[in-house]
Amino acid sequence: MFDKVLIANRGEIAVRINRACQELGISTVAIHSEADTQSMHVRIADESVCIGPNPVNKSYLNAHAIISACEITGAQAVHPGYGFLSENASFAKMLEDHKLTFIGPKSNHIEMMGDKIEAKKIMKDYGVPTVPGSEGNVKNETDAINSSLTIGFPVLLKASAGGGGRGMKVVNNEKELKKTLPILKQEALSFFGNDSIYIEKFIDSPRHIEVQVICDSHGNYLHLHERDCSVQRRNQKVIEEALAPDISDEKKQKLFEICVNAMEKMGYLGLGTLEFLFDGEEFYFMEMNTRLQVEHPITEMLTRVDLVREQICVASGDKIFTSQENIKPLGHSIECRINAENPINFKPSVGKILMYHPPAGNGIRLDTFIYSGYTVPHYYDNLLAKLIVTGRTRNHAIKRAIRSLNEIVIDGIETNIELHKKILSNKEFKSGGVAINWLESNIKNL
Ligand code: ADP
Ligand code: ADP
Ligand code: MG
């Protein structure tokens, strides 16, 4: 096991990882930008290093500065969290070259899955059902039109390097396609440094169902059941739950088998999530995230497996402590992503938190980095906190989540807490199994 780990992230996830490390007896190094000197992840780590100015490309994305910070502090491994460098294969490779461990999969697997076109091809070869679409990237406008006509409009144009709900656009006909393709290509180039675009059938009102896997270097490939992340706005998840309501056990078991089998064929290591669209009958693979996911705590609460602890253990060469038979989900778990945003126009809200009071009690977990007096900077993601509740039944978890949202106090900045209460109190949400377009179609009348 490692003696010292550097956490290459900020915010709630850096705090979460710090906890797992300290519980394993590992001492921790936080990195931070100038704006984050007073941030919680810096305060609770055993050591910290300021690695640069506020813009992310000068700090949290600065691979050379992070490696220097490892050398100065003697950290043996780096946990990348999510976002930032977590799915950057060349960063993982640089660490390998410096004899540092990247707490994540092997760099070749990050690379394979990071290109969404490549990922779909590979998964298809492994027998995973994928969303119908273009074979590879579209070469030019004519190629895009031909592909779309074969697939049938409406189609979704997707950047092969996209992520975080960005880099995709629906087009309904040839005219729209001609207009949108060059714009998306330009966007993809400036956001992701790669203008490769592919086309998928736009699936009408599906659900987003994903499977959590964990693999070690001793031949163990396990799944930790599924999550339903269909409550989304602008392709970004707002509420997640586990297990997914109203899908038969038989269908789920078949999906888990396909996922585990693909991981075994790949020889995958560490945590991963396979994301699918579900049309009520079939699952279609969209992409694989080769990292710890924002919504991992609902799986932790449901299965009682500490995913971050296990992720660190398997990266250091240990076996997974448990077996598939012993991973038994119990009850129902829901996560609400609490963002700093204006409730009307959804623009990020920044400023000083005058007063913060967390909810508590049975079945409540709050993963956050905020505190009374903390100033939320404008440079970074606007996720403030994740409320995770577990109940005996789905209905119980929903009531518990509303009760907790009534208890929480975050004064001084705007948040989406009221939106969460409205969603959780909504009849359609309560009946279970809403589609990915449900929130956006109903947001004005909730
Ligand atoms: P999850 O699937 O774990 O919910 P998200 O898709 O919400 O993850 O992304 C988690 C974080 O990572 C967000 O802050 C998002 O902006 C960021 N992110 C994900 N993929 C990329 C990418 N390719 N480029 C830049 N940021 C990304
Ligand atoms: P990201 O890397 O940004 O997470 P994904 O490929 O996982 O991108 O897609 C993000 C979201 O966009 C999905 O959760 C789903 O809501 C929607 N989406 C993606 N592909 C399709 C599709 N083919 N049809 C309809 N919706 C889709
Ligand atoms: Mg995704």
Side-chain angles (χ1 to χ4, degrees), residues 74 152 274 312 320 324 414 443:
L274 292 95
I312 297 167
I320 301 167
Q324 191 68 67
E414 295 170 306
I443 203 156

Side-chain angles (χ1 to χ4, degrees), residues 386-416:
K386 304 185 306 201
L387 170 70
I388 303 108
V389 302
T390 310
R392 201 166 41 75
T393 60
R394 182 170 189 269
N395 196 18
H396 185 193
I398 292 174
K399 288 195 173 128
R400 189 165 262 170
I402 297 171
R403 187 274 286 169
S404 308
L405 292 164
N406 284 330
E407 254 179 64
I408 193 169
V409 179
I410 302 175
D411 276 348
I413 56 169
E414 295 170 306
T415 74
N416 61 349

Side-chain angles (χ1 to χ4, degrees), residues 236 338-341 346-349 376 380-385:
Q236 288 170 346
I338 301 178
N339 298 330
E341 67 187 24
F346 302 100
K347 289 226 170 78
S349 168
V376 179
Y380 312 111
D381 202 275
N382 66 343
L383 180 69
L384 286 182

Side-chain angles (χ1 to χ4, degrees), residues 286-302:
M286 277 188 292
E287 65 157 345
M288 177 171 180
N289 294 324
T290 53
R291 57 171 163 87
L292 181 67
Q293 206 116 356
V294 176
E295 57 274 21
H296 76 278
I298 53 174
T299 301
E300 297 190 319
M301 300 323 286
L302 203 74

Side-chain angles (χ1 to χ4, degrees), residues 7 53 69 82 87 93 113 117 161 177 258 276 292:
I7 301 165
Y82 55 70
E87 292 176 290
K93 184 74 181 38
M113 294 298 120
I117 296 174
L177 188 147
I258 290 172
F276 295 87
L292 181 67

